[in-house]
Amino acid sequence: MFNKLKIRGGVHAEERKEQSTGQPVRTLGIPPRLHLPLRQHAGKPAEPVVKVGDRVKKGQLIATSTGEDVCASLHAPTSGTVTAIGEVVAPHPSQLTTTAITIESDGLDESLQPGEQLDPMSLTPAEIADRVDQAGIVGLGGATFPAALKLKSGARQKIDTLILNGSECEPYLTCDDMLMRERGEGIISGARLIQRAIGANRIVAGIEDNKPEAIAAMTAAAAPYADVLVQPIPTRYPMGSAKQLIQAIMGREVPAGGRSSDVGALVHNVATAYAVHQALYEHRPLISRLVTVSGQCIEQPQNVEVLLGTPVSWMLEQCGSLSQTPARVVMGGPMMGQILHTTEVPITKGASGILALANPEISKTEPSPCIRCGSCVSACPMGLVPLEMARHAKGDDFDGAKEFGLRDCILCGSCAYVCPSHIPLVHYFQFAKGELSSQRIQSRKGELTKSLAEARKARKEREEAEKAAAKAEKAAKAKAAKEAKERAKAQKAEQAQATQAQAAETEATDAPANEESGS
């Protein structure tokens, strides 16, 4: 079925991956300072549990969940002193700031002592998910969704297949490729823990067929396990998208607006699986990751393991610096990555690559009017009509864009890649998605305000009713007390009258006797 399966849309982008696969992964040293943003994941920022002046050790928890469901913890990548908790420039085209914890390293790299040693495969699914949560692991394929939440939701649903995403379809990026070549056993080990946590029947590692060395290494690592399969898949962007990967491997299509769990699958990146292995077998939280450093402006393109919070400028210096001033610096891949206007930003959990691109590597062609050729429609892997979505988004008709499937757009950039008019289609979609998100937030605020007003009204009515009831009760008690008092008074009067009558009767009885006595 796999060979007959037709993969919808996508593009064959120029790969340029061979630049960074010529040498093994190199572990970089410890920079003088690390800047660790509190928000390196989808969801709410983490809450600091350290203060300025504190000394921390490698692996120590420095920020934790704020109580929100979507959040991930943060740990010290090395030992040192917390010198600031404040704003730093975020790795984003906007150049806005984000709150971060700054650690000045002491060069000792002193680690916390590991806790109790247990066989991770003997843990319950809930215990595995909790340890993944404590390690601050997020999806390292780019989405940065907290991994523990996916494990917990997967355990509640019927998941028959865990898919390891080893496609790495973005041009230039090879960090997952090199991870699979060099650390395949750790990836499979982590995947088996994820499998246990979600109760899946099998594991399938989907790897694009342009990575023969990774396929061979992963096949050898999976050989001891009958329920682990390595499946080569066609090289086509964006094969790394979860929905495309599920369709390619399982022949199942995730419904519009649905999730992968709806078709019995759960997708995790190979780097995420390796991070789970490190957390449970090596007692190492997520404090570093592999990053591809490539582009024509890099003297020595390579893959490096770098501590989270490392400044991009320092990392580039360790990689041989720049051979020329780049026309563009990108964090991530060229299709979906973020353009950086400064290298004084930190490496985060979602940073899969740093690309220093020269002029020949980027397109500076000015956009021209749409000629309605339909190329974007053919390239869309989700089967959408990008030209219509863009038309509505450009006219601020966001509901119209939504009707054409904006919510199902994965922002892969395939449409913009093939557009002969060089229209920045993805920019329109990002803008429209942002506006719709703002509208939803405002709508929720309005609904919350309305519910609070209704609750306030109900509370006032309840309080007034309670006051009225209390007043009525008080009046009833006062009336009852008055009546009781009056009854007591009447009884007392009756008793007085009875006493007087008895005294009169006694006096009348005694009077004749006295008269007889006197005579």
Side-chain angles (χ1 to χ4, degrees), residues 444-456:
R444 285 197 292 268
K445 285 183 178 179
E447 292 173 358
L448 178 61
T449 301
K450 182 179 178 180
S451 65
L452 290 174
E454 291 175 349
R456 183 172 180 270

Side-chain angles (χ1 to χ4, degrees), residues 217-513:
M218 289 290 285
T219 300
Y225 311 104
D227 55 353
V228 182
L229 172 69
V230 176
Q231 176 65 69
I233 54 179
T235 300
R236 190 172 182 85
Y237 180 85
M239 189 59 74
S241 169
K243 294 182 179 181
Q244 277 61 51
L245 201 58
I246 291 170
Q247 186 179 13
I249 290 176
M250 303 177 67
R252 303 173 187 173
E253 186 167 359
V254 179
R259 297 181 178 180
S260 59
S261 56
D262 296 336
V263 295
L266 192 66
V267 180
H268 273 285
N269 184 265
V270 291
T272 308
Y274 184 70
V276 171
H277 164 79
Q278 286 186 305
L280 274 76
Y281 280 98
E282 302 175 9
H283 304 280
R284 176 188 172 97
L286 183 57
I287 57 175
S288 67
R289 66 156 298 146
L290 264 62
V291 177
T292 299
V293 182
S294 190
Q296 287 187 10
C297 298
I298 299 293
E299 289 186 353
Q300 302 173 12
Q302 57 192 290
N303 284 278
V304 295
E305 182 169 6
V306 60
L307 297 179
L308 300 179
T310 298
V312 171
S313 56
W314 186 88
M315 184 183 70
L316 291 176
E317 290 175 3
Q318 303 304 304
C319 293
S321 195
L322 301 172
S323 59
Q324 57 180 297
T325 302
R328 179 178 297 169
V329 177
V330 177
M331 177 176 283
M335 302 293 282
M336 298 183 69
Q338 301 281 1
I339 297 174
L340 301 181
H341 297 288
T342 176
T343 57
E344 297 304 320
V345 297
I347 292 293
T348 59
K349 294 179 181 181
S352 55
I354 295 295
L355 309 180
L357 306 177
N359 279 311
E361 297 176 286
I362 62 175
S363 173
K364 290 190 175 182
T365 307
E366 293 295 322
S368 56
C370 175
I371 60 175
R372 302 187 72 81
C373 64
S375 297
C376 59
V377 178
S378 300
C380 180
M382 302 303 296
L384 306 177
V385 187
L387 61 94
E388 288 296 334
M389 290 196 303
R391 181 173 68 85
H392 286 282
K394 191 175 181 181
D396 292 343
D397 180 12
F398 307 118
D399 289 331
K402 185 170 63 175
E403 290 178 3
F404 277 93
L406 178 65
R407 286 184 175 176
D408 290 313
C409 174
I410 60 176
L411 302 175
C412 66
S414 296
C415 54
Y417 184 83
V418 300
C419 179
S421 298
H422 304 284
I423 299 173
L425 295 166
V426 177
H427 292 183
Y428 291 127
F429 305 152
Q430 288 175 330
F431 170 67
K433 280 177 175 280
E435 288 298 315
L436 285 173
S437 177
S438 298
Q439 290 177 8
R440 287 195 297 272
I441 292 172
Q442 291 300 322
S443 177
R444 285 197 292 268
K445 285 183 178 179
E447 292 173 358
L448 178 61
T449 301
K450 182 179 178 180
S451 65
L452 290 174
E454 291 175 349
R456 183 172 180 270
K457 181 180 178 181
R459 187 180 69 252
K460 280 193 169 184
E461 291 176 350
R462 185 175 63 253
E463 289 174 351
E464 289 175 359
E466 289 173 352
K467 286 180 180 178
K471 186 176 181 181
E473 184 180 359
K474 184 177 181 181
K477 288 181 177 179
K479 183 179 179 181
K482 183 178 180 181
E483 291 175 349
K485 187 175 181 181
E486 290 176 349
R487 284 195 301 270
K489 186 176 180 181
Q491 288 176 355
K492 188 175 182 181
E494 290 176 357
Q495 289 176 355
Q497 289 177 358
T499 301
Q500 290 177 358
Q502 185 178 7
E505 183 179 353
T506 302
E507 184 178 353
T509 303
D510 292 343

Side-chain angles (χ1 to χ4, degrees), residues 39-45 69-72 138-139 142-146 149 349:
R39 185 173 181 176
Q40 300 188 38
H41 50 267
K44 299 291 184 180
D69 287 337
V70 183
C71 193
V138 301
T144 64
F145 190 81
L149 295 183
K349 294 179 181 181

